Amino acid sequence: MSIIIKTKNLTKYYGKLKAVDNVNLTVKKGEIYGFLGRNGAGKTTTIKMLLGLIKPTVGEIEIFGQNIRKEKRDILQRTGFVADFPGFYLNLSGVENLKINTSLLGVQKMNAIEDALNIVGIWEERNKLVKKYSLGMKQRLGIARSIIHNPELLIFDEPTNGLDPIGIKDTRRLIKSLAEKRKITIFISSHILSEIQQLANTIGIIHNGRLLEEISIEELRKKSRKYIEVQVSNAAKASILLERRLRVYDYEIHEENIIRVYSHYDMISKINRIFVENDIDVIMLRLREDNLEDYFIKLTGGDKVV
């Protein structure tokens, strides 16, 4: 599988502040790459460097196998970008805004605007002034603008910011469709864990400017651990019962007398019964499985997720 985006030791300083720290990321052709991090983690700065809007302090960027510093024009002609809050001429209609872009991009295809608006589902709203568009419609118009020149790569920066649940769901469905039906490689940044988990094939986790890990969804699922979580009145006594009565040794004791048992999932009712019979109050008992949020918290040293 060919590589669409590759960075090497990508670093950006603003004065003494290191906004991006030695980032090495790889985006493969045809995938949806989720760039996950808290607000201020360095996501937007990285995207600006990928688009050639700012220069790296240190490091190199290759897109389509070409160096962004040397082949910027060719790379951008093959790339689309969608900002978190796309800007438009509000007193012009949707189609008039796109005509400006086709002119700037040199798009020759006669029905390029119609195709783009049909793909995002707002062709019927083409003559409405953009100032009358909802936030979700503006986001769709932004996506239409980004695909009007038939790009091979789409870069999204927080595309669901400010959208309501229906708008988020529609945007997610549209992004998936662009990847699956039009075979566009997609790089999408977000601080919303659930969105990235539902969209991406590969996830890059950035924290304090550093890329902590790149991991496929399949690998993430393998790392996710199922466990029985039980909160009791006396964790020390409960742990002795687990070992002596049930031969359970794969467990951890956490704060507030919480025990996590990483085996014997079919014995959850038996565990409860043995604790109760031995005068241990069971405050909470449930079967759980780590998700992306749990993994993120562990990877970033326990920071809470926004």
Side-chain angles (χ1 to χ4, degrees):
M1 182 179 291
S2 60
I3 305 301
I4 298 298
I5 300 175
K6 190 172 184 63
T7 69
K8 182 179 180 181
N9 303 325
L10 192 62
T11 303
K12 181 64 180 178
Y13 280 94
Y14 290 107
K16 294 183 179 180
L17 174 65
K18 189 184 286 188
V20 175
D21 183 4
N22 201 44
V23 167
N24 297 284
L25 61 82
T26 302
V27 180
K28 299 174 183 176
K29 184 176 182 180
E31 74 176 350
I32 300 178
Y33 185 102
F35 198 42
L36 174 65
R38 298 160 60 93
N39 290 327
K43 302 187 301 295
T44 298
T45 300
T46 301
I47 284 175
K48 287 180 178 178
M49 287 189 282
L50 294 179
L51 293 169
L53 299 176
I54 57 175
K55 293 182 179 180
T57 306
V58 178
E60 298 295 332
I61 302 169
E62 287 188 358
I63 301 180
F64 308 119
Q66 303 176 83
N67 191 302
I68 185 69
R69 295 186 182 187
K70 299 176 181 178
E71 304 292 343
K72 179 178 175 180
R73 183 177 179 84
D74 179 66
I75 290 170
L76 294 182
Q77 286 178 339
R78 300 165 66 185
T79 303
F81 171 63
V82 184
D84 50 354
F85 296 106
F88 298 100
Y89 294 101
L90 299 181
N91 289 319
L92 297 180
S93 68
V95 72
E96 288 170 336
N97 269 275
L98 293 191
K99 282 180 179 179
I100 294 172
N101 288 101
T102 55
S103 178
L104 291 172
L105 292 168
V107 177
Q108 302 296 321
K109 187 179 176 183
M110 293 295 295
N111 58 344
I113 292 176
E114 182 178 353
D115 285 350
L117 290 175
N118 274 320
I119 288 169
V120 301
I122 57 170
W123 171 247
E124 298 301 323
E125 311 292 335
R126 64 190 180 279
N127 294 318
K128 181 185 290 187
L129 297 183
V130 172
K131 66 182 179 182
K132 296 182 179 180
Y133 277 23
S134 67
L135 186 59
M137 287 174 62
K138 288 177 182 175
Q139 189 62 268
R140 285 173 174 268
L141 186 61
I143 296 173
R145 180 171 61 188
S146 74
I147 63 174
I148 203 165
H149 58 301
N150 197 28
E152 300 166 53
L153 168 67
L154 271 179
I155 297 176
F156 290 84
D157 191 8
E158 301 275 5
T160 59
N161 264 358
L163 297 181
D164 59 27
I166 294 176
I168 291 173
K169 186 176 181 180
D170 288 344
T171 301
R172 184 170 63 236
R173 186 185 301 115
L174 180 54
I175 291 171
K176 283 185 175 180
S177 176
L178 291 171
E180 294 170 3
K181 296 181 180 179
R182 297 180 69 87
K183 308 302 180 184
I184 300 175
T185 302
I186 293 175
F187 181 94
I188 175 171
S189 80
S190 181
H191 67 276
I192 303 175
L193 299 169
S194 59
E195 287 305 306
I196 289 296
Q197 193 168 17
Q198 292 182 67
L199 275 171
N201 311 114
T202 301
I203 296 172
I205 299 175
I206 187 170
H207 184 64
N208 291 335
R210 294 178 59 243
L211 186 67
L212 300 182
E213 185 171 24
E214 287 183 318
I215 184 170
S216 71
I217 286 294
E218 290 77 14
E219 290 171 339
L220 180 62
R221 292 193 180 111
K222 290 178 184 177
K223 287 190 176 186
S224 297
R225 297 191 71 184
K226 184 185 290 185
Y227 55 89
I228 299 168
E229 186 173 67
V230 55
Q231 185 177 23
V232 294
S233 57
N234 189 330
K237 183 178 179 181
S239 65
I240 293 172
L241 289 169
L242 284 174
E243 293 185 17
R244 293 181 179 177
R245 296 285 298 276
L246 298 172
R247 300 293 187 267
V248 172
Y249 304 102
D250 188 9
Y251 67 88
E252 297 173 347
I253 298 177
H254 295 261
E255 294 179 357
E256 300 181 350
N257 284 307
I258 291 175
I259 302 174
R260 291 181 177 177
V261 180
Y262 294 98
S263 61
H264 297 73
Y265 311 123
D266 58 338
M267 297 177 64
I268 188 167
S269 59
K270 190 172 183 179
I271 290 171
N272 181 66
R273 186 175 68 253
I274 288 175
F275 286 169
V276 172
E277 289 174 351
N278 286 272
D279 299 320
I280 296 174
D281 295 332
V282 178
I283 301 163
M284 176 268 294
L285 178 65
R286 58 184 174 178
L287 186 63
R288 293 196 63 191
E289 185 171 2
D290 283 343
N291 55 24
L292 180 55
E293 182 172 353
D294 300 316
Y295 188 74
F296 183 93
I297 291 171
K298 289 178 183 178
L299 199 62
T300 57
D303 285 356
K304 291 183 179 180
V305 183
V306 293

